[in-house]
Amino acid sequence: MNKYSAKQIAGFLIPSIIGIAIFMIPIQVDGTWTIVVKVIADIIGNALGDFLPILCLIIVTASAILGVASLRHPSFITTYPIIDETFTTTPIWAVIRVVGCIFIWLVYLGVGAEDEGSFLWMFTNADTGGFVLGDLLTVLVIIFLLAGLLLPLLLDFGLLEFIGALLTKVMRPLFTIPGRAAVDCITSWIGDGTLGVMLTNNQYQDGYYSAREASIISTTFSAVSITFSIVVLAEVDLMNYFGPYYLLICLVGIVCALILPRIPPLSWKKDEYLVPGKAMAETLPEGYSSSVDYGISLAVKRVDEHRGIAQFLENGLKNAAGMWFGVLPVVMCIGTLALVLASYTPIFAILGAPFVPLLELLQVPEAASVSQTMVVGFTDMFTPSIIAAGIISDPMARFIVAVISVTQLIYLSEVGGLILGSKIPVNIVELFVLFLERTIISLLIVAPLAHLIF
C-alpha cells in the first residue's frame, strides 16, 4: 500500500465521518428517530419562526426577477459564475418561477382568502397555496440551507472517490455500466440527483460514457438526496419510521437499477460515444495492490487538491443558492397547481384510476386516494406527499406514498427537467415510460413490506 501522511488521511477521514454522522446515521430524539441535520433544522426553524414566510417570499421573488433577466444574458449575471449558475434559466423555467412568485405573493397577502369558493381562493386557501408556503417552503428553506452548507463534507473530501473505487468490480455485472460510474451513483444517492445528472452529462460529452450508459446512470441512479427524503417523510408526519423508510428506498433503488437497464426503453439504447476512444479500462491501475489502496489514493488526491475553508464555503453557498433560488419557486408553482387540480378537479383521480386494481390487490388502504398520488409525481417529487398529507388518513398508506414518491425518481421539476435539458439522449416519452416502470416496481416491493412494518 502506498504511504500517506497522517494529515492526508485525517483530511479524508474526519470530514467524511462528520458528514456521515450528520446525514446518514439515525438518532433518537424525544422517542422519535431522526437524523442530526433535521434536528438542527428544527432548532433553527423554531428560532426564526414568523420570519420564514418572508424569507421564502424574498427568495422566490428574487428568483423570478433574475430568472427573467437572465434570458437576455446581462453582464451583471454572466460575469459572476455563482450568480450565473444560480439564476440563468430557460424561458419555460423562467415562466414557472414567475408563476411561483405570483402564487407566493397572493398567499402572503391573503388575496381571496376571505372569499371562499372564488377563483383566487382556490389558489390561496390553507389547503393549497397556503399549505405549500406555510407547511412546505418554510421547512425546505432551512433544510436546503443546511444541506447546501454541509454536503461538501460528503462530496469534497474523497468519500465518493473511495467508495467508487470499492464498487468498481460490481457495477458492470450488476448494472451494465462502467465501474467509474460508481462515483456518479454515490454522488446522487448521498448528495443530490441533479449533481449526479450533471456529472453524468459531463462524462457523456467527454466520451467516457456511451449513450446507453449515460441514459442508464442519469435515469436510474440520480437518486433523491437524503435531505429531500427527510422532508417527504416529515410532510406525511411519519419521521419515527425513518429507518425502514430509507432502507426501503435503497432496496427499491437497487432492484430498479438491476431491472430497468435490461428492459426497454433503456435496453434499446446504443453503445455509441460522442467522443470515440475515451472510455477507460476498468482494471486496477498498476502500482496498487487492492481497490482499497486505489480508493485511498483517489481520496487523498482529492484532499490534496482542496483549497480549504474558502472552497468549502464557496461550494456550500453555491449548493444552498442553487436549491433556494432554483427549487423553491418550482415547488411553489407546481405544488400549488397540483393541489388545486387534486382538490377541485378529477384529473388525478382519472390518471390514477388504472392503479386502483393493483393497489386493491396489494391491500393498500384508501386505494382510491392513494391512486391520485401515483401519476402526479412525474411533475414534482413533493406533490404526492403534499396530497397524501391532505387526503389520506391511514399511516401505512401515507408511508407507501412517501416511499414511492422518492423511488419514482424522474420528476420534471428537477431531475427530469435537467435530463431533458442535457445532451443525454432520453426524451420526455421515454422518461414517462421509465417513471411508470419505476412506479409499478416500487409498488410491488413496498406494499407487501409495508404490511409487515405496520
Side-chain angles (χ1 to χ4, degrees), residues 230-246:
I230 295 167
V231 172
V232 170
L233 191 62
E235 192 58 48
V236 296
D237 196 25
L238 292 171
M239 276 302 295
N240 53 317
Y241 288 94
F242 179 78
Y245 167 72
Y246 204 73

Side-chain angles (χ1 to χ4, degrees), residues 12-13 16-17 19-20 24 153-155 157-171 175 178-191 221 226 291-300 302:
F12 158 51
L13 288 179
S16 299
I17 291 172
I20 291 171
M24 302 183 68
L153 292 168
L154 294 177
L155 303 177
F157 296 94
L159 178 64
L160 301 184
E161 285 77 4
F162 177 72
I163 295 176
L166 297 185
L167 296 180
T168 294
K169 294 181 179 179
V170 304
M171 299 302 287
F175 308 120
R180 64 185 290 114
V183 176
D184 306 55
C185 302
I186 298 298
T187 300
S188 291
W189 276 95
I190 298 178
F221 288 99
I226 295 171
S291 297
V292 173
D293 186 16
Y294 182 47
I296 293 175
S297 73
L298 292 176
V300 167
R302 183 67 183 270

Side-chain angles (χ1 to χ4, degrees), residues 32-115:
T32 300
W33 287 100
T34 183
I35 57 175
V36 173
V37 70
K38 184 64 170 60
V39 174
I40 300 172
D42 289 341
I43 293 172
I44 295 174
N46 292 333
L48 293 179
D50 295 337
F51 177 68
L52 291 178
I54 301 173
L55 177 60
C56 294
L57 181 74
I58 294 170
I59 291 169
V60 174
T61 303
S63 175
I65 293 172
L66 293 175
V68 172
S70 75
L71 299 178
R72 291 184 171 271
H73 307 289
S75 59
F76 73 87
I77 289 180
T78 58
T79 301
Y80 306 98
I82 292 182
I83 296 177
D84 190 27
E85 291 178 24
T86 300
F87 295 106
T88 296
T89 188
T90 63
I92 292 175
W93 293 108
V95 169
I96 290 175
R97 292 186 184 191
V98 170
V99 174
C101 180
I102 294 171
F103 285 162
I104 198 170
W105 273 102
L106 291 174
V107 172
Y108 186 76
L109 296 175
V111 178
E114 297 181 0
D115 188 10

Side-chain angles (χ1 to χ4, degrees), residues 157-374:
F157 296 94
L159 178 64
L160 301 184
E161 285 77 4
F162 177 72
I163 295 176
L166 297 185
L167 296 180
T168 294
K169 294 181 179 179
V170 304
M171 299 302 287
R172 177 67 71 182
L174 290 181
F175 308 120
T176 75
I177 53 179
R180 64 185 290 114
V183 176
D184 306 55
C185 302
I186 298 298
T187 300
S188 291
W189 276 95
I190 298 178
D192 183 71
T194 56
L195 183 57
V197 173
M198 288 185 283
L199 281 174
T200 303
N201 185 47
N202 289 338
Q203 295 282 283
Y204 174 58
Q205 291 189 78
D206 290 341
Y208 294 107
Y209 295 151
S210 69
R212 182 186 63 82
E213 292 164 350
S215 301
I216 291 171
I217 297 165
S218 61
T219 60
T220 306
F221 288 99
S222 298
V224 175
S225 70
I226 295 171
T227 48
F228 273 103
S229 303
I230 295 167
V231 172
V232 170
L233 191 62
E235 192 58 48
V236 296
D237 196 25
L238 292 171
M239 276 302 295
N240 53 317
Y241 288 94
F242 179 78
Y245 167 72
Y246 204 73
L247 285 174
L248 265 178
I249 289 173
C250 294
L251 173 62
V252 173
I254 292 170
V255 173
C256 287
L258 289 169
I259 295 174
L260 293 180
R262 294 172 168 85
I263 62 176
L266 291 178
S267 65
W268 290 344
K269 299 293 180 181
K270 305 296 183 183
D271 276 312
E272 298 172 343
Y273 293 83
L274 288 181
V275 183
K278 294 290 291 291
M280 298 178 65
E282 297 177 40
T283 55
L284 195 68
E286 291 186 13
Y288 297 97
S289 59
S290 66
S291 297
V292 173
D293 186 16
Y294 182 47
I296 293 175
S297 73
L298 292 176
V300 167
K301 181 181 178 182
R302 183 67 183 270
V303 170
D304 289 341
E305 293 172 349
H306 201 273
R307 302 195 311 271
I309 189 66
Q311 183 180 345
F312 181 86
L313 292 175
E314 178 184 334
N315 290 344
L317 290 172
K318 186 186 299 183
N319 292 338
M323 288 189 277
W324 265 17
F325 296 101
V327 178
L328 288 181
V330 175
V331 173
M332 189 70 215
C333 173
I334 295 181
T336 301
L337 288 174
L339 283 174
V340 169
L341 292 174
S343 301
Y344 305 110
T345 75
I347 185 169
F348 291 130
I350 294 170
L351 292 175
F355 284 94
V356 173
L358 177 59
L359 291 167
E360 291 177 342
L361 179 65
L362 295 171
Q363 298 181 341
V364 175
E366 301 181 53
S369 297
V370 171
S371 71
Q372 297 183 42
T373 70
M374 292 293 101

Side-chain angles (χ1 to χ4, degrees), residues 236 373-374 376-377 380-389 401 405 408:
V236 296
T373 70
M374 292 293 101
V376 70
D380 184 75
M381 184 202 72
F382 291 113
T383 309
S385 60
I386 295 173
I387 294 174
V401 171
S405 68
Q408 285 172 325

